[in-house]
């Protein structure tokens, strides 16, 4: 069955350059006991995220540092697997207007962070830090879990959960309906969106 194209909603995305002032070394872990609320604006609507330091301090610290410097602005969600995850955070190859489709999903900062503790289960709406299937390789790429039924907890090394969606899962679900194409990945998934799904900005609520 061919999935219909889901038109994006306002606000429309705008083109921008790669931000300056982002970390050049691994950011510090997020302080224990702290939380933050991040509004991720996309061309499909807003996703409100609660970041919790105690869930994954290294992942949370990296994510917040990149949010605060505007790293995620104008980056595409480059990987969509219906019923599983949507993924973004490749600032090298998936940032408008200088997309490199053949390399989307392979980029990120020059630094990486130590792995956080393993998560027993991955529930719908959780955010976790992606990695390169090797220890201590997380940096900027993250994914949002679409279903309570998944195999994410079996990954080695583990993915670090650091946040959850508190508002806007309807937006996440609409993004997940975006038609995909391209070559299959190592797991046989065809996951490259055929329509642009763009993070236009990320802002922190005090």
């Amino acid at each position: 069955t061919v999935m219909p194209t889901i038109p994006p909603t306002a606000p429309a995305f705008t083109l921008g350059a790669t931000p300056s002032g982002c970390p050049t070394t691994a950011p510090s872990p997020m302080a224990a006991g702290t939380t933050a609320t991040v509004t991720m604006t996309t061309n499909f609507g807003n996703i409100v995220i609660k970041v919790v330091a105690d869930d994954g301090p290294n992942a949370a610290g990296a994510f917040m540092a990149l949010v605060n410097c505007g790293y995620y602005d104008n980056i595409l969600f480059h990987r969509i697997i219906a019923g599983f995850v949507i993924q973004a955070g490749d600032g090298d190859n998936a940032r408008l207007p200088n997309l490199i489709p053949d390399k989307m999903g392979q980029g990120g900062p020059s630094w990486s962070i130590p792995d956080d503790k393993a998560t027993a289960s991955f529930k719908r709406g959780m955010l976790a830090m992606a990695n390169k299937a090797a220890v201590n390789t997380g940096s900027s790429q993250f994914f949002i879990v679409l279903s309570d039924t998944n195999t994410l907890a079996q990954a080695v090394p583990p993915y670090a959960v650091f946040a959850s969606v508190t508002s806007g899962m309807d937006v996440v679900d609409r993004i997940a309906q975006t038609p995909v194409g391209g070559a299959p990945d190592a797991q046989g998934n065809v996951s490259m969106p055929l329509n642009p799904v763009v993070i236009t900005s990320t802002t922190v609520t005090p």
Side-chain angles (χ1 to χ4, degrees):
T1 302
V2 177
M3 227 175 273
T5 300
I6 307 297
T9 58
F13 65 85
T14 55
L15 303 182
T18 301
S20 59
C22 286
T24 56
T25 59
S28 299
M30 191 170 175
T34 61
T35 64
T37 299
V38 173
T39 298
M40 182 173 289
T41 302
T42 79
N43 60 326
F44 279 67
N46 290 349
I47 304 168
V48 181
I49 297 162
K50 182 178 181 180
V51 181
V52 180
D54 291 349
D55 287 348
N58 294 310
F63 181 77
M64 290 305 301
L66 295 173
V67 164
N68 284 320
C69 75
Y71 179 88
Y72 293 114
D73 297 359
N74 301 307
I75 285 180
L76 301 185
F77 277 91
H78 65 268
R79 184 175 185 235
I80 294 176
I81 302 176
F84 187 47
V85 300
I86 62 173
Q87 184 169 328
D90 180 351
D92 294 328
N93 308 306
R95 188 190 304 279
L96 290 170
N98 301 313
L99 300 178
I100 307 176
D102 292 345
K103 294 185 177 181
M104 284 200 295
Q106 300 177 31
S110 59
W111 45 263
S112 59
I113 58 173
D115 291 332
D116 287 302
K117 62 184 180 183
T119 300
S121 61
F122 288 75
K123 300 297 185 182
R124 172 176 161 82
M126 286 182 169
L127 276 76
M129 186 67 70
N131 60 43
K132 299 178 182 178
V135 297
N136 303 329
T137 55
S139 59
S140 63
Q141 292 194 36
F142 65 91
F143 57 84
I144 303 177
V145 182
L146 299 177
S147 172
D148 289 345
T149 304
N150 57 69
T151 58
L152 290 162
Q154 300 171 20
V156 179
Y159 301 115
V161 170
F162 62 90
S164 59
V165 174
T166 58
S167 176
M169 275 305 293
D170 58 323
V171 175
V172 174
D173 288 336
R174 292 183 62 232
I175 290 172
Q177 295 179 57
T178 302
V180 296
D185 62 18
Q187 290 74 42
N189 297 305
V190 174
S191 60
M192 181 179 292
L194 299 179
N195 297 324
V197 181
V198 191
I199 300 170
T200 60
S201 67
T202 50
T203 56
V204 181
T205 302

